[in-house]
Amino acid sequence: MRAVRFASFGEPADVLTVENIPAPQPGPGQVLVRVQVRPINPSDLFVIRGLYGALPRLPAVPGFEGAGVIVGVGEGVTDRTIGQLVIPMGASGLWQEYVVVPAARAIPVPEPIGDRQAATAFVNPATAWLMLTETLRVEPGEWVLQNAASSVVGRHVIQLGQRLNFRTINVVRRREVIDELRAMGADEVICEQDENVVARVHALTGGKGVRYALDSVGGASGARLAASLGAGGTMLVYGAIAGESLTIHPGMLLFRSATIRGWWLTHWFQSATPSQVQSLFDTLFRLIGDGTLSTPIVAEYDLADVREAVREAERKTRPGKVLLVG
């Protein structure tokens, strides 16, 4: 089978190769999945560069997310069937043609969803949903402030704001995306290069600041979000796109009793029970199925063209996901 691999950490377009390796076979309680679609996420690229929170032994196959069809079942498997579209959870790299996972970790996908939206149903929708509803418990009518608002997670936050009746203040780097985000339902959009973010947020909130903020950038952008928190506010840091330190004035924490905390999807899944995982996917599939959540797809590349695909995925103006297919 074909597999994308890397034997050393480095720039993805430099270290990734496509190799032919033996296909795995399912053992008792396992299923063999023919992976069909795999999105390229920032977390995948951080792993390849050796900059992620958990790194594999090398050589390794990257890829946290994807969807495919069950083509083989091991002894004792009775609740999964050949031909079933599933999301293989916990596989050791999905940028290859076949993976083996325990049957319980092959999440069945409802037929109307399709393999493209199924392949992107895990990392970004789950991140947005869990941060907003389980960790922050955002209340209707409240403001949620976020940077990187034109990212896929950012768009999901906007979409969920429409569904759950909270308001969003969306910080972006490029003014060209302002009208698009407003058309999606963004309540307010601030371009960092044109406006003072902190002043605008305080004007929008009557000087109170916001109760909730989501930082996926770090650096100066994240610091501006932190400075926009009101009394008792909380900011979740779930990304570090800028690759820069987040500097926060201690008075903000001291006098406002604000909270800054990290949030990582991996930690949630490590502690979640199988029933919690299934409940999460039931919710996400429902939101995708009724159109509340939708991941834009901008390009598809065959596995053989992975180097070109990762270059496309890192274009700053890219408005959606790049997929690896085949």
Side-chain angles (χ1 to χ4, degrees):
M1 70 170 183
R2 295 185 302 168
V4 175
R5 304 179 84 191
F6 60 106
S8 61
F9 297 114
E11 286 302 304
D14 296 332
V15 301
L16 293 176
T17 61
V18 180
E19 303 175 17
N20 284 306
I21 62 175
Q25 296 300 316
Q30 296 179 325
V31 296
L32 176 65
V33 179
R34 173 61 168 93
V35 186
Q36 298 174 325
V37 185
R38 316 147 191 88
I40 299 175
N41 291 311
S43 54
D44 300 319
L45 303 180
F46 276 119
V47 168
I48 297 165
R49 290 188 170 100
L51 300 175
Y52 203 57
L55 296 174
R57 292 183 178 181
L58 301 179
V61 176
F64 288 117
E65 187 177 31
V69 173
I70 294 176
V71 294
V73 297
E75 181 182 353
V77 175
T78 60
D79 57 350
R80 299 293 186 271
T81 59
I82 290 177
Q84 195 170 27
L85 179 64
V86 296
I87 297 173
M89 299 293 298
S92 57
L94 294 181
W95 292 10
Q96 55 189 338
E97 291 181 316
Y98 294 92
V99 295
V100 164
V101 294
R105 293 189 178 182
I107 307 298
V109 178
E111 187 172 337
I113 300 297
D115 59 2
R116 267 57 179 173
Q117 289 300 309
T120 56
F122 168 36
V123 172
N124 293 314
T127 294
W129 176 260
L130 291 170
M131 288 195 301
L132 293 166
T133 66
E134 184 172 297
T135 304
L136 293 177
R137 300 181 182 273
V138 177
E139 298 177 4
E142 289 287 347
W143 289 106
V144 173
L145 172 65
Q146 65 167 340
N147 54 19
S150 64
S151 69
V152 175
V153 172
R155 291 166 186 260
H156 288 333
V157 170
I158 294 169
Q159 292 166 343
L160 288 171
Q162 296 291 292
R163 176 65 174 263
L164 302 177
N165 298 314
F166 61 80
R167 297 177 290 175
T168 58
I169 303 175
N170 303 278
V171 179
V172 298
R173 291 175 295 176
R174 297 181 296 111
R175 60 178 67 94
E176 308 93 86
V177 302
I178 291 176
D179 289 343
E180 180 184 358
L181 295 185
R182 284 178 174 158
M184 288 181 59
D187 294 284
E188 300 289 343
V189 185
I190 305 172
C191 181
E192 289 180 300
Q193 65 181 348
D194 293 337
E195 297 186 71
N196 183 308
V197 173
V198 179
R200 176 76 181 281
V201 170
H202 279 78
L204 289 169
T205 60
K208 296 180 179 179
V210 296
R211 288 181 61 186
Y212 313 107
L214 303 172
D215 173 33
S216 68
V217 179
S221 181
R224 287 190 281 268
L225 265 59
S228 302
L229 288 173
T234 300
M235 182 171 85
L236 299 184
V237 179
Y238 71 98
I241 295 173
E244 300 171 356
S245 297
L246 177 61
T247 302
I248 300 170
H249 192 284
M252 188 271 299
L253 300 176
L254 177 63
F255 301 120
R256 298 185 204 169
S257 297
T259 300
I260 312 293
R261 57 171 291 190
W263 194 95
W264 193 22
L265 182 63
T266 297
H267 284 160
W268 187 91
F269 275 94
Q270 286 173 342
S271 62
T273 65
S275 62
Q276 287 174 319
V277 173
Q278 187 59 59
S279 177
L280 171 64
F281 276 102
D282 289 344
T283 298
L284 297 178
F285 288 147
R286 183 169 63 252
L287 293 170
I288 294 169
D290 68 16
T292 297
L293 293 178
S294 177
T295 299
I297 308 300
V298 297
E300 298 185 7
Y301 291 82
D302 187 79
L303 280 177
D305 301 317
V306 64
R307 292 190 175 188
E308 185 178 352
V310 295
R311 292 190 187 98
E312 173 68 17
E314 295 201 280
R315 280 198 308 112
K316 300 301 183 183
T317 58
R318 176 181 52 80
K321 285 296 177 186
V322 174
L323 303 181
L324 288 170
V325 299

